[in-house]
Amino acid sequence: MTLVTLSPADFFALDDFMYFQQDRLDDTVTEQEINSIIDITAMPGKLHILDTPCGYGRHSKSLMQRGHQVTGIDLSPRFIDQAQTYPPGQQGTFILGEMDTQVGEALFDLVLILFNSFGYYPHPRNVNFLERCALQLKPSGKIVIDTINGATLQTSGFMQPVVIGKGEESLRIEKQIADIQYEEGINLHYTITSQRKTQTTRTALDVVFYRPEELDAILKRSGFRQTTFYSGLLGEKSWDPQSKKMVLVAQK
């Protein structure tokens, strides 16, 4: 079978990554994650929420069903098409674009960056992304970042190769420390190989993961305050510095 090398944008637009992940991201998991977000943000009333990147809209749709107004941004045309399929009467706007696209200023009560989606740009652009998030939030608005704890990359098993099988098809994810490093964060080089019935594709990309104190400092420089850390959106949420996952809430 021919191996096709894809850019990261083309790979994610192809939808292979979510094809292998969707079986474990059912409605029960989504509702548990949304319940946790509501709990840790403690923001009453109906909110205007920015979900970026929104993927195919699993979090956005759950929030819309609860009466919130949601704006979602994603780079994948296929995901945006899926996200736009929601019942009449719910408030949703979905935009095709990079996750750091700025929609406006002081528009949102809450910004969500979920599913380990932060860090996909070089470090300076990651910082700029958070600055744009702060600009788009109303005074006292909040941001939730659901990511991997950069302090435990080497000890949590995160660096081990991951293979997700689906019948005769498979997705293999390999990680190593990248050659290029920044003054903050740990830059990892990913190689992702997707073997489908029709073709095998491979893409390479870098992702920066941050230690808690680094992300806290970046958020404060970007206009946020009162950062609170949690160990995930599923199961035990109390912060453990040795946790593999890291979820934080920061207020503007």
Side-chain angles (χ1 to χ4, degrees), residues 194-214:
S194 171
Q195 185 171 344
R196 302 285 297 272
K197 292 178 182 178
T198 54
Q199 68 175 0
T200 298
T201 62
R202 180 169 294 159
T203 190
L205 68 154
D206 287 0
V207 184
V208 185
F209 294 100
Y210 295 89
R211 302 169 184 87
E213 64 274 14
E214 292 173 328

Side-chain angles (χ1 to χ4, degrees), residues 149-160 186 241-244:
N149 183 359
T152 62
L153 289 179
Q154 304 282 5
T155 59
S156 65
F158 181 74
M159 297 295 292
Q160 296 298 316
I186 301 171
Q242 299 306 311
S243 172
K244 177 179 176 180

Side-chain angles (χ1 to χ4, degrees), residues 156-196:
S156 65
F158 181 74
M159 297 295 292
Q160 296 298 316
V162 174
V163 179
I164 304 171
K166 198 168 185 178
E168 297 179 355
E169 302 173 311
S170 65
L171 182 78
R172 182 177 178 85
I173 304 172
E174 298 172 282
K175 317 174 193 83
Q176 63 185 35
I177 302 297
D179 293 336
I180 298 173
Q181 293 297 321
Y182 304 101
E183 65 273 17
E184 292 174 300
I186 301 171
N187 192 24
L188 297 188
H189 184 73
Y190 276 58
T191 302
I192 305 175
T193 305
S194 171
Q195 185 171 344
R196 302 285 297 272

Side-chain angles (χ1 to χ4, degrees), residues 149-151 210-217 229 239 241 246 248:
N149 183 359
Y210 295 89
R211 302 169 184 87
E213 64 274 14
E214 292 173 328
L215 202 45
D216 181 49
F229 289 89
W239 175 237
M246 179 171 68
L248 60 88

Side-chain angles (χ1 to χ4, degrees), residues 5-246:
T5 301
L6 298 175
S7 69
D10 288 341
F11 173 77
F12 286 111
L14 193 61
D15 199 18
D16 276 17
F17 188 75
M18 290 310 304
Y19 170 79
F20 288 101
Q21 296 277 2
Q22 272 182 313
D23 288 348
R24 69 181 185 87
L25 301 175
D26 59 18
D27 291 344
T28 300
V29 171
T30 301
E31 290 305 305
Q32 289 175 348
E33 291 173 337
I34 293 299
N35 287 337
S36 292
I37 290 168
I38 291 171
D39 179 40
I40 63 179
T41 55
M43 301 179 74
K46 304 306 181 186
L47 308 176
H48 191 184
I49 300 171
L50 176 63
D51 182 12
T52 184
C54 64
Y56 58 90
R58 66 185 184 97
H59 295 108
S60 295
K61 290 178 180 180
S62 176
L63 290 162
M64 289 160 58
Q65 288 169 2
R66 297 173 188 234
H68 301 292
Q69 180 182 352
V70 179
T71 297
I73 303 174
D74 204 275
L75 191 59
S76 166
R78 188 175 303 183
F79 283 168
I80 291 296
D81 286 344
Q82 288 180 267
Q84 287 174 331
T85 58
Y86 56 86
Q90 296 181 3
Q91 293 183 294
T93 301
F94 293 94
I95 300 168
L96 180 65
E98 293 276 359
M99 69 176 108
D100 62 348
T101 300
Q102 184 169 333
V103 180
E105 293 189 14
L107 287 178
F108 301 102
D109 302 292
L110 178 64
V111 172
L112 303 178
I113 308 173
L114 305 177
F115 202 54
N116 303 335
S117 297
F118 182 71
Y120 276 73
Y121 299 130
H123 173 64
R125 187 169 173 182
N126 289 330
V127 173
N128 183 253
F129 179 21
L130 293 182
E131 292 170 348
R132 290 186 180 190
C133 288
L135 286 173
Q136 295 184 91
L137 279 169
K138 299 174 184 176
S140 299
K142 295 181 180 180
I143 187 171
V144 176
I145 302 176
D146 166 34
T147 184
I148 297 295
N149 183 359
T152 62
L153 289 179
Q154 304 282 5
T155 59
S156 65
F158 181 74
M159 297 295 292
Q160 296 298 316
V162 174
V163 179
I164 304 171
K166 198 168 185 178
E168 297 179 355
E169 302 173 311
S170 65
L171 182 78
R172 182 177 178 85
I173 304 172
E174 298 172 282
K175 317 174 193 83
Q176 63 185 35
I177 302 297
D179 293 336
I180 298 173
Q181 293 297 321
Y182 304 101
E183 65 273 17
E184 292 174 300
I186 301 171
N187 192 24
L188 297 188
H189 184 73
Y190 276 58
T191 302
I192 305 175
T193 305
S194 171
Q195 185 171 344
R196 302 285 297 272
K197 292 178 182 178
T198 54
Q199 68 175 0
T200 298
T201 62
R202 180 169 294 159
T203 190
L205 68 154
D206 287 0
V207 184
V208 185
F209 294 100
Y210 295 89
R211 302 169 184 87
E213 64 274 14
E214 292 173 328
L215 202 45
D216 181 49
I218 294 168
L219 283 162
K220 284 184 169 61
R221 296 199 305 266
S222 300
F224 291 93
R225 56 189 172 88
Q226 296 180 341
T227 305
T228 305
F229 289 89
Y230 301 89
S231 292
L233 294 175
L234 300 173
E236 178 57 50
K237 295 190 290 291
S238 299
W239 175 237
D240 178 358
Q242 299 306 311
S243 172
K244 177 179 176 180
K245 288 284 293 180
M246 179 171 68

